[in-house]
Amino acid sequence: LYGRGQRGKRVSPTTVRIELETLKIALKHARKLGYVDRVISWSRPRWRSERKRIAWTVDEVDRALQVAHPPRQRGITRGRPPLPFSTDIELQILFGVDGLMRPGEILHLAWEDVDFDWEAPQIHVCSKPEVGWAVKTERDGDHPKDRWVPLSPRLLDALRIRWEELGKPRSGWLFPHRADPNRPRTTFRGALARVCEHASVRVIRPV
């Protein structure tokens, strides 16, 4: 009943399962201390509407990147029609595929997080309190843990090209909001969906 009630409030299945597991642990502890006589067990809830995770194959990644790769000859499309999506989507896909980064982590990257100078170039994934965003990785006490993500050769190449095109910035968002460059972009779902359509690959939902 509790699970169905929470789902009626549009709480995600994962959140409901976490809450039920926490409740189960609390009741077992209460029984151990003698506050309750017995604990009724329940099975793990399932919902038909729960969205399944979709992962691209290597072939699908290659096709998506081929479509998303922006023409770089003064904006000339090299014989094909203009891209119906932002050219940032190539980098965003690479961060997700090669960097194993969450959509929120990708959208909250800043140029000051990028380290091109190391022998192994990497990027710092960290919270951005100035915009009210925090990483969702394992916590260290009261604070989420930051982490460094190594840059694959193809991600490094694409990121360095973008960096040089923009005049080698040392600060600012990698993917600034079009209406306000002082804020990060909030989604790239639409661009990714159009890439999937043009590349004939399965549609995935990053955010």
Side-chain angles (χ1 to χ4, degrees):
L1 291 176
Y2 172 80
R4 287 198 294 269
Q6 288 295 84
R7 288 295 290 148
K9 299 177 184 177
R10 296 189 176 181
V11 178
S12 72
T14 300
T15 300
V16 173
R17 291 196 181 105
I18 292 173
E19 290 175 347
L20 290 175
E21 288 300 317
T22 302
L23 178 60
K24 185 182 294 186
I25 293 171
L27 288 173
K28 287 182 178 180
H29 187 63
R31 182 185 179 188
K32 185 176 181 180
L33 296 177
Y35 291 113
V36 296
D37 295 330
R38 64 192 181 94
V39 177
I40 300 175
S41 62
W42 56 81
S43 59
R44 181 179 178 180
R46 295 179 180 273
W47 293 278
R48 292 181 180 177
S49 60
E50 185 175 352
R51 180 166 58 91
K52 294 182 179 180
R53 300 289 181 182
I54 297 176
W56 276 343
T57 64
V58 173
D59 178 64
E60 286 177 316
V61 171
D62 291 341
R63 284 154 52 195
L65 288 174
Q66 185 176 7
V67 168
H69 183 70
R72 300 189 183 280
Q73 189 178 5
R74 296 183 181 178
I76 297 175
T77 58
R78 297 180 185 176
R80 64 181 181 181
L83 299 175
F85 41 77
S86 168
T87 53
D88 291 334
I89 191 62
E90 179 192 27
L91 266 179
Q92 291 160 347
I93 291 174
L94 284 172
F95 275 121
V97 173
D98 289 2
L100 301 178
M101 295 171 62
R102 297 177 175 89
E105 294 172 343
I106 296 170
L107 292 170
H108 287 86
L109 292 173
W111 285 111
E112 53 263 40
D113 299 328
V114 183
D115 190 344
F116 288 123
D117 301 327
W118 277 43
E119 292 182 4
Q122 52 191 337
I123 193 164
H124 191 200
V125 179
C126 57
S127 299
K128 299 295 191 298
E130 65 271 24
V131 293
W133 180 83
V135 295
K136 293 184 178 181
T137 48
E138 180 182 358
R139 300 184 71 87
D140 183 9
D142 294 332
H143 304 285
K145 283 185 178 179
D146 298 348
R147 74 182 192 278
W148 287 91
V149 175
L151 300 176
S152 67
R154 63 179 178 179
L155 175 53
L156 176 61
D157 288 344
L159 187 60
R160 192 182 292 277
I161 289 173
R162 174 55 56 85
W163 181 58
E164 292 174 350
E165 287 177 342
L166 296 176
K168 300 183 178 181
R170 291 292 180 181
S171 62
W173 301 106
L174 260 70
F175 308 110
H177 198 283
R178 290 184 177 85
D180 182 3
N182 294 318
R183 294 189 293 118
R185 204 168 301 171
T186 57
T187 182
F188 54 91
R189 181 187 297 177
L192 182 58
R194 287 188 285 275
V195 167
C196 294
E197 179 183 354
H198 282 71
S200 299
V201 301
R202 292 172 296 168
V203 177
I204 57 177
R205 296 176 58 191
V207 286

